[in-house]
Amino acid sequence: MSTVTFQGNSVAVSGQFPQAGQAAPDFTLTGADLNDIRLADFKGQKLLLNIFPSVDTGVCATSVRTFNEKAAALANTKVLCVSMDLPFAFGRFCAAEGIENVQVASAFRHAEFLNAYGVALSDGALRGLSARAVVCIDEQGKVVYSERVAELTDEPAYDPAVAALS
């Protein structure tokens, strides 16, 4: 078990966080249309997973907006924004913000995703949600970059993630 902090307080994180060079853990998530989204759906494409606690918080919303802007310039790359938020919340947010260059996916039916990607907050005020992380996966399904943000209220390092897929 590892830890991150939330407002300076230590929070336990369960699961094994994927590192560069490893095969990306398989997953199933729920899309905005309530259908399943699987890692296999992105075979032959690069994939950036923007994982965060909730789109209804400022830093999480900023990460979705920022990756939405940066995703437009990435060839053969999909950006999947993942949290425990319901697909309806994602739909409301994306419509209000004009988000069109990223896909959204909910782990609300698939909590095993949080453990498979080493982002399951297992104690503290946000237990049951995910830590903030970025995982970049190449066309063959191998992790080429990963960052689990040490402090939940901090933004991820956008430029290294985008560079890993350029």
Side-chain angles (χ1 to χ4, degrees):
M1 188 167 299
S2 57
T3 61
V4 295
T5 58
F6 176 55
Q7 299 175 334
N9 299 308
S10 184
V11 178
V13 182
S14 300
Q16 184 71 30
F17 188 64
Q19 301 297 311
Q22 296 177 336
D26 197 17
F27 65 76
T28 301
L29 296 163
T30 302
D33 59 1
L34 300 177
N35 288 315
D36 286 347
I37 296 174
R38 294 180 175 79
L39 177 61
D41 297 338
F42 301 96
K43 186 174 180 159
Q45 298 177 312
K46 299 173 196 172
L47 178 64
L48 186 151
L49 297 176
N50 175 30
I51 306 166
F52 50 85
S54 175
V55 75
D56 287 323
T57 66
V59 176
C60 300
T62 296
S63 74
V64 174
R65 286 185 206 104
T66 302
F67 280 124
N68 181 63
E69 291 172 17
K70 294 182 179 289
L74 296 172
N76 194 37
T77 302
K78 298 292 184 185
V79 175
L80 190 60
C81 296
V82 182
S83 77
M84 291 294 282
D85 290 305
L86 292 176
F88 314 113
F90 272 132
R92 180 189 71 246
F93 175 81
C94 291
E97 296 285 332
I99 304 293
E100 297 176 348
N101 297 321
V102 301
Q103 284 183 258
V104 295
S106 176
F108 88 103
R109 282 190 240 177
H110 309 283
E112 66 277 2
F113 171 86
L114 303 182
N115 279 314
Y117 275 80
V119 295
L121 297 177
S122 50
D123 68 8
L126 300 179
R127 78 179 165 276
L129 298 179
S130 65
R132 184 177 318 287
V134 176
V135 178
C136 298
I137 303 167
D138 70 11
E139 300 92 332
Q140 289 76 43
K142 185 183 289 187
V143 175
V144 294
Y145 174 84
S146 64
E147 174 198 16
R148 186 172 52 204
V149 180
E151 166 56 51
L152 289 174
T153 60
D154 290 343
E155 293 179 53
Y158 301 107
D159 292 337
V162 171
L165 296 173
S166 298

